[in-house]
Amino acid sequence: MFACFYPDQEAASAYVIPYEELYKQGYRGIIFDIDNTLVPHGAPADERSVRLFDRLRKIGYRTILLSNNKEPRVKMFHDDVGADYIYKAGKPAVAGYRRAMEKMGTDRENTFFVGDQLFTDIWGAKRAGLRTFLTKPIDPAEEIQIVLKRYLEKPVLFFYHRKLKRQKEER
């Protein structure tokens, strides 16, 4: 019932994903959410995010920021990290993810998504056929509508973790 919201993998943060290994597996494009995935909500790019995008460029990745925010917020982050961007993306609609891949010159076979919300980020990316990484939110202080979504995410994550545990036990 909840499987459409399940991420392919979880990561403690966007900064610990094994990007080099994924590149060896053939991935060439990464679509990132910004707020609470790379920095706290509304925050500018910090030194850690700038270093991450420099590292990803050196590996050989194409990167793009996919955000439901307005252009000034997304452009501010883009200016510091140098990744392409799409604002007012309408996540979880699939169109933004497809447009992101078009802009990067990648496809769903060699692109993955990194984000912190199940019902926008992960669900949309899964619907677009992408591999997904769910990160833990960076900052617990969030807008009320996101706080409400987090409560709704809890049962989905409960069943997801239960499924993972059962799969592990079967091995």
Side-chain angles (χ1 to χ4, degrees):
M1 177 166 111
F2 292 131
C4 64
F5 302 113
Y6 293 170
D8 293 303
Q9 289 179 253
E10 287 181 291
S13 95
Y15 299 97
V16 300
I17 292 170
Y19 295 106
E20 289 82 1
E21 181 60 35
L22 291 161
Y23 192 85
K24 288 177 190 172
Q25 293 174 19
Y27 289 96
R28 297 298 181 261
I30 310 170
I31 304 171
F32 283 98
D33 174 53
I34 301 171
D35 288 323
N36 251 350
T37 298
L38 295 166
V39 292
H41 189 81
D46 57 15
E47 194 174 307
R48 183 169 71 157
S49 57
V50 171
R51 280 195 317 264
L52 174 64
F53 281 85
D54 286 342
R55 176 180 153 210
L56 296 173
R57 270 189 292 282
K58 287 176 185 161
I59 294 169
Y61 280 110
R62 300 288 315 264
T63 58
I64 193 163
L65 307 167
L66 186 68
S67 177
N68 286 346
N69 275 303
K70 294 177 183 170
E71 187 173 25
R73 191 285 178 265
V74 181
K75 186 176 182 325
M76 171 184 69
F77 196 87
H78 148 83
D79 289 346
D80 291 332
V81 301
D84 206 347
Y85 68 93
I86 297 171
Y87 64 95
K88 287 190 173 181
K91 294 182 290 183
V94 172
Y97 298 88
R98 288 187 182 141
R99 189 163 157 237
M101 288 184 279
E102 274 178 33
K103 286 182 99 169
M104 291 190 296
T106 62
D107 60 39
R108 64 177 142 186
E109 301 301 317
N110 64 6
T111 305
F112 63 93
F113 179 84
V114 180
D116 71 299
Q117 290 188 53
L118 287 178
F119 301 132
T120 52
D121 297 333
I122 300 302
W123 188 37
K126 298 285 287 183
R127 291 173 58 220
L130 298 173
R131 182 174 182 178
T132 58
F133 284 84
L134 176 68
T135 63
K136 297 211 180 307
I138 290 176
D139 186 1
E142 298 178 298
E143 296 174 348
I144 188 66
Q145 71 271 19
I146 296 171
V147 170
L148 295 173
K149 283 187 213 175
R150 296 286 184 210
Y151 281 111
L152 297 173
E153 286 179 351
K154 286 180 183 190
V156 176
L157 289 171
F158 170 81
F159 287 109
Y160 170 68
H161 292 132
R162 188 171 80 174
K163 175 187 168 224
L164 291 180
K165 184 179 176 185
R166 286 182 179 162
Q167 287 175 339
K168 193 175 182 180
E169 290 169 354
E170 290 173 2
R171 289 182 201 155

